[in-house]
Amino acid sequence: MNILQELNKEQQAAVTHENGPLLIVAGAGTGKTKSIVSRIAWLVENKKAEINEILALTYTDKAANEMIERIDLLMPYGYGEHWISTFHSFCDKILKKHIVELGLGTNYKLFTETDCWILLRQNIDKLNLDYFRSNSNPTRFFQDLLKYFSRCQDEGIFPEKYLHYAENLTLDSDNIEFVSGINWQNIDNEQKKEIRSVEIKKQKELAGAYYAYKNILRENGALDFADLVSLTYKLFQKSPFLLTKYRQQFKYILVDEFQDTNFLQYQLIKLLSEPQNNLTVVGDDDQSIYKFRGASISNIMQFMDDFPQAKSVVLTENYRSGQNILDFAYKFIAQNNPNRLEIKLGLNKKLLSRCEEKGEVNCLNFADGYDEANNVIKKIIELREMENPSWSDFAILFRAKSSADFFIQALNFAGVPYQFLAESGLYNQRAIMDLLCYFDLLGNYHDSVAMYQILSWSIFNIEQEQIIKICQIAKQKSLSLYEAGQQAAAINGINQETSKQLNILFSYLQKHAVLAKKEKPFAIFLRILHETGYLAYLNKNIDREKKQALHYLEQFGQKIKNFEQNNKTAYINDFVKIIKMEMEAGESGPISFDPEIGPDMVKIMTVHSAKGLEFQNVFIVNMVDRKFPSDNRTEAIDMPEVFIKEKSDSKNAHIEEERRLFYVAATRAKKRLFLTWAKNYNSEREKKPSKFLLEAGFSSFEQAEVKSDKFFFDFQTEKSSKDNYDLPEKFSISDIILYEKCPQRYKFAKILKIPTFGHGSLSFGTTIHETLKQFVFEYESDKAEQTDIFGGMKQENKPDLKRLREIYENNWLDDWYRNKEEKQQYHENGLKLLKNFYEDFLRQKPKIKFLEYPFRWKIGSYQFTGRIDRIDEVNDSFVIIDYKTGQTKTELNAEDKRQLLFYQIVAEESLKFKLEKLVYYYLESGEKTEFIGQTKDKEKLKERLLDVIAQIKNNCFEPKASEFNCQYCDYANICEHKKL
């Protein structure tokens, strides 16, 4: 493939840059990601570096994955280990290997901000807070403190340095830099002393709390996200050997979204890139919108000062938007001059469209918020009927998620499908509130608020009037709802069906309350969903609301699993306590969305969420004073000026950031951009149009006003009768096998992602695979003599059978065994299995080429991903080995061979390996079954893969019900087609 063929002149210049620093200024829609991945492919193709000698960093997992996918397209024959990731993932990978050099363990836990808040709450006395402790609410300042500590690390201010600084503060006039914004000339000496005394106390308290917080984290074997970068930076400063090792490995470093990096991230990549400085940074100062997350726009503004010999390339050919939209956006953002890279470096950043459409920019105003929402949805429907685009070609963007309410009402009323990417949080969704209330009742039947929620569940079919009668009796007799419900049969007006349903509910509660003291939280979660009929109800006559509920339950189940991993001996009541502390901390539970995949829906999101996306038609709504631009919110805790690296000369830094945010919103539009506002949003005071509209040249609004019926639409849009599922874009061979067994089961597992019970055999298989992976990795790592960090020779220290057993015990999963006897039997079998494996391993002494080898492989336009257990090198060819913990099969039929045959195709076509054989290694017996696939077998399998994918894409999920299939199906209890 000719990598340069589809690139314009400027992109080619960026891609083919030889050595030394390079700044790529990439405006919106100019193909910056394409330029980065093309540069990586060009460096590899021209033998400048191997793929693992190139470090490519970006800001989000989504952006990193996009890079990897595009690399797959440019390098279709595969490649080895890559270093393409986010900053945090890169640092996590380095620390997992070398954090022992800092005196910390490699099995650290990574805590979210909410995890850290809970940790502070549990250790509040160790913080020695006074100024930052409220008597009425001791945790009031926790979030502010955590943000402040994180910002300190972003600025490279570590706890020890802060302590030293605070301890040396005095009342004399030479130490006043920690108090900013005060004109000292008009203050007498006594006032100065009083101000400084208070500020010194604050700084010493902050320094002590910061130091204590980090110690508390370490005592709990945890890091926060800011630690990842700061400890990696410390590691390289402390160990010249490791710094030299990685400098030699990473011949080229590329950083995407450079304007979003913080001070310490920039220092880290500068440190790594020396002395060759083959550092390429790509960004756009006009799209720097993450100051609130620590991003430092000064990094991109300062790059040419730090590297005066650097070459710069400006990408101005836009492949997204019409010229009218680009001209509008450029004229607007120019009001940030002279504080823009264009002025500072004398560049021309005016974007030139390469699209046929000229683009439209419209400004509309309305009487009130109802009119605005009504007419925006009306315009969407009108354009869709006129041009027949997808619903996903429309986006409604707003500055803050609280502005979405009117639009969601209008969309619901009009029957327009939508995806709200700023929903209020997982814990506020009905399905999750239902589960949390049920969890509460397991510890206390007399929680009447929780009981009322459960009595209202549709699955129990208790009429609202009956519930009200029970509530009245409970209040009258001072009983809990549970106690009143137990007396329901004697209550006048309570019918027989209600009494029956109450007995069913109470029997579930009593059963699950007993099990909750013995079983793990995820098992209780599944029992409730399956045994009460909650999942069966959601799966019957499934609609948008029920699909959303299943989506939330899947994410909540993952939350419970993560809790279990970090709390091995905890039960459901411990989980509930953590959730309540999270809520107390202001956490409502993140909801994961990917706006670029999924059902065809109008996208509703904040402007920040829209960064990196594009749509045919964009509506920026609520363009009124104090909404967009928003009011300036200062930091709750001011940082001493001596610590601040980014000192802006601009007095309008907030407005300039808001202008950049508006610029990002405007440049999401490909064909049409609508700016809308209303004079009233349910308030007495009339709203003024945003100053941004005036800056954009809209000076008169009277003629643009459109009136409409305040009660929304009097019509419904046409609704599709066909199921609108979020179909996958990537597949695995196990997906294909699952679909062929039963398409309905595949839908439950992979499309709806309904959580289900596990099996002891699966827990055992995972334990064995993880054990062997770690053991072989350690064996291979220590097989050859290596230099230590001081340059000496490290003696061979091969892991023995004792170490293998230690790894086994550390990786042992206790989950899903039916009883203690079954678990004990599996455990003993595992010890025998590992002994046989170890003896065979020493006898064979295999030359292992790859372990747990990750791959991506394309067939047609579809991508497959997966991992191969082991690839051994034998003479001039390779052997693929797949571990099996099940029963030995000496004779394999076509179905048995399918998985290894698939791996053969991947290895031969993508990795260009010459394979000698494929091996199923049956670990329990120690026997191996070998074969090699023939051309006709491989072609037949490819046809099957494409055929199955086509059926999935056509929403073909017909059940294959049979006694055998349904007997072993995890979803039999919610499937209306089951045959048992």
Side-chain angles (χ1 to χ4, degrees):
M1 176 182 288
N2 186 345
I3 294 170
L4 305 179
Q5 186 176 358
E6 297 182 359
L7 304 179
N8 62 41
K9 181 181 177 182
E10 289 75 22
Q11 289 172 332
Q12 289 183 13
V15 168
T16 59
H17 173 71
E18 292 281 345
N19 297 312
L22 170 66
L23 169 64
I24 304 175
V25 182
T30 57
K32 66 177 181 62
T33 304
K34 185 176 185 178
S35 300
I36 294 171
V37 297
S38 296
R39 176 158 174 74
I40 294 171
W42 183 84
L43 289 170
V44 174
E45 187 177 80
N46 287 273
K47 311 297 183 185
K48 303 289 184 182
E50 298 294 330
I51 190 73
N52 67 339
E53 295 174 329
I54 300 170
L55 175 62
L57 300 173
T58 188
Y59 203 73
T60 66
D61 290 326
K62 178 177 176 294
N65 289 332
E66 184 181 354
M67 273 196 205
I68 294 167
E69 288 173 3
R70 293 201 189 187
I71 286 288
D72 288 336
L73 295 175
L74 288 177
M75 302 173 66
Y77 299 118
Y79 47 85
E81 181 188 28
H82 64 74
W83 289 76
I84 303 171
S85 70
T86 64
F87 270 93
H88 289 109
S89 294
F90 164 69
C91 292
D92 186 43
K93 190 172 182 178
I94 294 293
L95 292 176
K96 280 286 196 292
K97 292 183 178 181
H98 307 295
I99 199 172
V100 289
E101 304 291 342
L102 297 174
L104 301 172
T106 57
N107 60 340
Y108 57 80
K109 294 171 283 190
L110 194 56
F111 274 15
T112 65
E113 184 177 329
T114 302
D115 294 329
C116 295
W117 189 98
I118 293 170
L119 196 63
L120 289 185
R121 188 182 187 279
Q122 294 168 334
N123 295 272
I124 189 169
D125 292 337
K126 294 182 181 180
L127 300 175
N128 295 318
L129 298 176
D130 181 24
Y131 187 92
F132 291 99
R133 181 167 181 165
S134 165
N135 290 330
S136 59
N137 181 10
T139 64
R140 175 183 170 188
F141 295 103
F142 278 7
Q143 286 183 325
D144 297 328
L145 288 169
L146 287 170
K147 287 177 182 176
Y148 185 71
F149 298 157
S150 179
R151 188 184 173 201
C152 286
Q153 286 183 269
D154 290 346
E155 296 285 343
I157 311 303
F158 304 126
E160 300 82 4
K161 182 177 180 179
Y162 206 147
L163 267 180
H164 178 76
Y165 163 79
E167 288 168 356
N168 286 281
L169 288 175
T170 65
L171 291 176
D172 64 68
S173 59
D174 294 331
N175 297 92
I176 62 173
E177 71 273 6
F178 57 88
V179 183
S180 60
I182 292 179
N183 183 355
W184 294 95
Q185 294 178 346
N186 300 324
I187 300 177
D188 61 40
N189 288 333
E190 287 303 314
Q191 285 179 304
K192 286 180 182 178
K193 284 185 178 180
E194 183 180 353
I195 292 171
R196 290 173 185 155
S197 176
V198 172
E199 290 300 317
I200 288 173
K201 180 183 176 183
K202 281 170 58 178
Q203 291 303 317
K204 288 187 175 181
E205 186 171 310
L206 284 169
Y210 183 21
Y211 189 85
Y213 162 65
K214 288 300 173 183
N215 281 338
I216 293 167
L217 272 177
R218 304 300 177 259
E219 288 167 4
N220 285 269
L223 307 181
D224 60 23
F225 277 90
D227 280 328
L228 293 176
V229 178
S230 63
L231 291 180
T232 304
Y233 184 71
K234 277 186 175 182
L235 177 69
F236 287 139
Q237 284 188 316
K238 180 179 179 180
S239 173
F241 168 78
L242 286 176
L243 179 58
T244 302
K245 175 180 182 289
Y246 283 103
R247 278 177 173 174
Q248 290 176 350
Q249 176 176 343
F250 301 131
K251 295 179 180 178
Y252 294 88
I253 299 177
L254 299 91
V255 182
D256 189 16
E257 303 288 8
F258 185 58
Q259 77 279 351
D260 293 336
T261 56
N262 62 42
F263 171 79
L264 196 61
Q265 288 169 338
Y266 185 25
Q267 298 308 304
L268 176 62
I269 60 173
K270 280 200 294 187
L271 185 69
L272 270 175
S273 65
E274 294 175 359
Q276 300 300 321
N277 291 325
N278 289 329
L279 174 61
T280 298
V281 298
V282 188
D284 180 12
D285 59 304
D286 290 333
Q287 298 186 74
S288 178
I289 60 173
Y290 292 116
K291 183 177 176 60
F292 71 95
R293 291 201 309 215
S296 175
I297 192 174
S298 63
N299 287 347
I300 194 168
M301 304 296 282
Q302 191 178 319
F303 185 81
M304 297 300 285
D305 292 338
D306 293 343
F307 299 98
Q309 76 280 23
K311 181 180 177 181
S312 64
V313 175
V314 185
L315 306 183
T316 57
E317 293 190 31
N318 177 284
Y319 300 91
R320 175 190 299 158
S321 306
Q323 191 64 54
N324 290 335
I325 296 173
L326 297 178
D327 291 345
F328 168 81
Y330 179 76
K331 181 181 177 182
F332 176 82
I333 199 61
Q335 291 170 96
N336 272 356
N337 291 340
N339 300 313
R340 294 176 60 240
L341 208 57
E342 184 173 35
I343 304 303
K344 180 177 180 180
L345 299 183
L347 307 173
N348 179 5
K349 290 181 60 182
K350 186 170 173 38
L351 300 179
L352 301 174
S353 177
R354 291 292 177 258
C355 303
E356 292 182 6
E357 293 280 351
K358 291 297 182 184
E360 300 177 23
V361 180
N362 300 282
C363 181
L364 303 173
N365 75 294
F366 305 95
D368 56 33
Y370 293 102
D371 280 344
E372 182 184 15
N374 194 17
N375 281 282
V376 165
I377 309 310
K378 201 168 187 177
K379 174 61 73 173
I380 289 173
I381 294 171
E382 176 187 309
L383 290 172
R384 188 169 185 269
E385 290 176 346
M386 183 172 64
E387 300 179 355
N388 198 33
S390 301
W391 290 119
S392 297
D393 288 325
F394 298 91
I396 300 173
L397 308 183
F398 39 81
R399 177 64 181 85
K401 66 180 182 180
S402 58
S403 302
D405 293 346
F406 286 127
F407 297 91
I408 289 175
Q409 289 180 52
L411 287 160
N412 280 327
F413 197 90
V416 173
Y418 67 89
Q419 186 178 31
F420 181 30
L421 278 81
E423 293 197 67
S424 58
L426 190 62
Y427 307 153
N428 296 326
Q429 305 307 319
R430 175 61 191 261
I432 307 308
M433 292 186 344
D434 283 349
L435 263 293
L436 288 173
C437 285
Y438 198 102
F439 291 167
D440 282 338
L441 290 174
L442 297 182
N444 178 16
Y445 296 157
H446 303 290
D447 184 334
S448 292
V449 174
M451 181 61 75
Y452 179 83
Q453 179 90 351
I454 304 307
L455 290 175
S456 302
W457 282 15
S458 299
I459 55 175
F460 296 120
N461 199 28
I462 301 175
E463 296 174 358
Q464 188 64 28
E465 292 119 346
Q466 298 280 288
I467 297 175
I468 291 171
K469 284 184 185 295
I470 297 170
C471 290
Q472 289 172 341
I473 292 297
K475 186 175 182 180
Q476 180 182 337
K477 297 188 175 184
S478 299
L479 302 173
S480 68
L481 275 184
Y482 174 74
E483 291 170 321
Q486 285 191 313
Q487 299 175 18
I491 297 174
N492 187 30
I494 298 298
N495 60 44
Q496 189 174 357
E497 181 61 25
T498 297
S499 295
K500 176 184 174 184
Q501 292 301 320
L502 286 171
N503 289 334
I504 292 172
L505 166 59
F506 293 156
S507 67
Y508 285 140
L509 282 172
Q510 290 157 6
K511 173 186 176 183
H512 294 148
V514 172
L515 293 171
K517 297 175 183 178
K518 300 186 293 184
E519 295 186 355
K520 291 189 175 181
F522 188 67
I524 297 299
F525 165 73
L526 291 178
R527 280 187 179 278
I528 295 167
L529 291 180
H530 285 267
E531 293 175 3
T532 64
Y534 199 98
L535 276 182
Y537 164 74
L538 291 178
N539 187 54
K540 189 174 182 180
N541 300 321
I542 195 165
D543 55 17
R544 180 183 181 276
E545 188 176 335
K546 289 181 177 180
K547 284 181 203 170
Q548 285 286 72
L550 289 169
H551 176 65
Y552 298 141
L553 287 170
E554 188 261 331
Q555 293 190 43
F556 191 58
Q558 190 57 53
K559 170 86 178 176
I560 298 174
K561 283 183 180 179
N562 293 340
F563 170 79
E564 279 188 9
Q565 289 175 0
N566 293 325
N567 303 273
K568 300 289 187 185
T569 60
Y571 294 102
I572 198 72
N573 63 312
D574 302 299
F575 174 74
V576 171
K577 288 176 185 176
I578 293 295
I579 294 296
K580 289 186 175 179
M581 280 193 276
E582 288 190 12
M583 291 178 172
E584 186 183 344
E587 173 65 71
S588 60
I591 298 176
S592 65
F593 290 106
D594 189 341
E596 293 193 283
I597 63 173
D600 183 22
M601 295 181 176
V602 174
K603 310 299 181 184
I604 315 177
M605 67 186 86
T606 63
V607 178
H608 281 101
S609 301
K611 176 91 188 304
L613 305 177
E614 58 185 43
F615 305 92
Q616 291 286 340
N617 304 282
V618 169
F619 295 81
I620 309 176
V621 300
N622 287 196
M623 291 292 299
V624 293
D625 184 43
R626 302 191 70 183
K627 283 200 172 186
F628 203 174
S630 66
D631 292 337
N632 188 14
R633 297 181 181 177
T634 58
E635 297 285 348
I637 304 175
D638 289 328
M639 178 173 284
E641 288 190 7
V642 69
F643 290 158
I644 300 174
K645 307 299 189 303
E646 182 178 13
K647 295 182 172 64
S648 174
D649 295 330
S650 174
K651 295 180 180 179
N652 300 308
H654 170 69
I655 288 297
E656 289 177 5
E657 171 116 347
E658 290 287 302
R659 284 198 190 106
R660 293 194 293 270
L661 194 58
F662 181 79
Y663 176 82
V664 166
T667 53
R668 301 310 94 197
K670 301 168 76 172
K671 194 171 183 179
R672 294 183 186 87
L673 174 65
F674 295 92
L675 313 175
T676 74
W677 68 283
K679 293 179 180 178
N680 188 282
Y681 292 93
N682 283 348
S683 62
E684 294 181 3
R685 182 175 296 179
E686 189 173 284
K687 293 289 185 182
K688 295 179 180 180
S690 165
K691 65 178 288 184
F692 286 176
L693 294 178
L694 302 175
E695 290 179 353
F698 298 103
S699 58
S700 176
F701 300 100
E702 287 76 11
Q703 293 182 355
E705 184 170 348
V706 178
K707 292 186 177 181
S708 67
D709 180 4
K710 191 172 290 188
F711 297 103
F712 299 97
F713 295 94
D714 56 0
F715 61 89
Q716 294 272 334
T717 57
E718 182 180 342
K719 295 183 180 179
S720 172
S721 60
K722 188 175 182 179
D723 285 336
N724 194 11
Y725 291 116
D726 184 356
L727 298 175
E729 297 299 321
K730 297 176 184 176
F731 300 89
S732 69
I733 187 62
S734 60
D735 291 341
I736 303 301
I737 293 171
L738 179 61
Y739 183 91
E740 290 191 316
K741 284 182 179 177
C742 178
Q744 178 89 333
R745 185 175 176 182
Y746 173 88
K747 184 182 81 169
F748 287 147
K750 301 298 181 178
I751 307 298
L752 299 177
K753 297 180 180 177
I754 295 176
T756 188
F757 294 93
H759 302 280
S761 59
L762 295 178
S763 296
F764 180 70
T766 301
T767 297
I768 294 297
H769 274 74
E770 288 300 311
T771 299
L772 296 185
K773 178 180 74 173
Q774 187 176 340
F775 170 77
V776 176
F777 177 79
E778 288 185 12
Y779 189 93
E780 290 295 304
S781 297
D782 290 330
K783 187 167 60 176
E785 290 182 339
Q786 300 173 359
T787 57
D788 63 23
I789 64 168
F790 304 106
M793 298 305 293
K794 184 177 179 182
Q795 191 173 8
E796 288 191 40
N797 185 27
K798 296 179 183 178
D800 55 14
L801 183 58
K802 180 182 177 182
R803 175 57 185 154
L804 177 57
R805 287 171 175 159
E806 287 176 1
I807 297 170
Y808 176 61
E809 299 299 341
N810 290 337
N811 281 289
W812 177 259
L813 293 177
D814 253 352
D815 303 332
W816 306 118
Y817 295 101
R818 287 177 293 182
N819 48 52
K820 289 183 179 179
E821 291 73 20
E822 183 184 60
K823 181 169 68 174
Q824 183 64 28
Q825 184 177 354
Y826 268 108
H827 188 271
E828 290 175 0
N829 287 343
L831 290 172
K832 295 175 185 176
L833 177 157
L834 293 175
K835 182 175 183 295
N836 293 336
F837 172 84
Y838 181 77
E839 292 172 352
D840 182 66
F841 191 82
L842 288 185
R843 186 168 55 252
Q844 298 291 334
K845 293 184 178 179
K847 186 178 180 181
I848 297 174
K849 182 70 174 178
F850 298 109
L851 194 65
E852 290 284 319
Y853 187 83
F855 64 81
R856 282 179 170 81
W857 174 73
K858 290 199 71 174
I859 179 169
S861 58
Y862 306 114
Q863 189 174 96
F864 277 77
T865 60
R867 289 179 180 270
I868 300 174
D869 285 347
R870 210 173 95 192
I871 303 177
D872 291 356
E873 191 172 357
V874 180
N875 300 322
D876 296 328
S877 58
F878 296 92
V879 175
I880 290 179
I881 297 174
D882 190 68
Y883 297 135
K884 293 292 181 185
T885 53
Q887 292 183 342
T888 303
K889 290 186 177 182
T890 54
E891 295 292 331
L892 303 177
N893 59 33
E895 304 305 304
D896 297 328
K897 293 180 179 180
R898 183 168 36 184
Q899 185 171 2
L900 276 183
L901 187 59
F902 173 76
Y903 291 159
Q904 179 181 350
I905 295 171
V906 172
E908 291 177 343
E909 295 189 2
S910 183
L911 306 178
K912 298 300 179 183
F913 283 175
K914 176 186 175 185
L915 291 178
E916 178 178 298
K917 57 187 175 183
L918 310 170
V919 178
Y920 280 125
Y921 188 166
Y922 294 96
L923 295 165
E924 189 168 343
S925 65
E927 296 182 17
K928 299 169 186 174
T929 304
E930 306 171 355
F931 70 97
I932 191 74
Q934 304 303 311
T935 301
K936 63 177 181 179
D937 301 321
K938 292 182 285 184
E939 292 303 317
K940 189 175 180 180
L941 178 55
K942 287 184 192 178
E943 290 176 10
R944 287 178 67 180
L945 297 179
L946 289 171
D947 181 58
V948 168
I949 293 172
Q951 292 179 63
I952 292 171
K953 290 295 184 180
N954 285 320
N955 283 283
C956 297
F957 300 115
E958 293 299 317
K960 288 185 179 178
S962 69
E963 287 189 17
F964 179 80
N965 266 357
C966 298
Q967 181 182 357
Y968 297 100
C969 179
D970 297 321
Y971 303 99
N973 65 325
I974 63 169
C975 180
E976 58 187 345
H977 304 285
K978 61 179 176 287
K979 292 182 180 178
L980 290 175

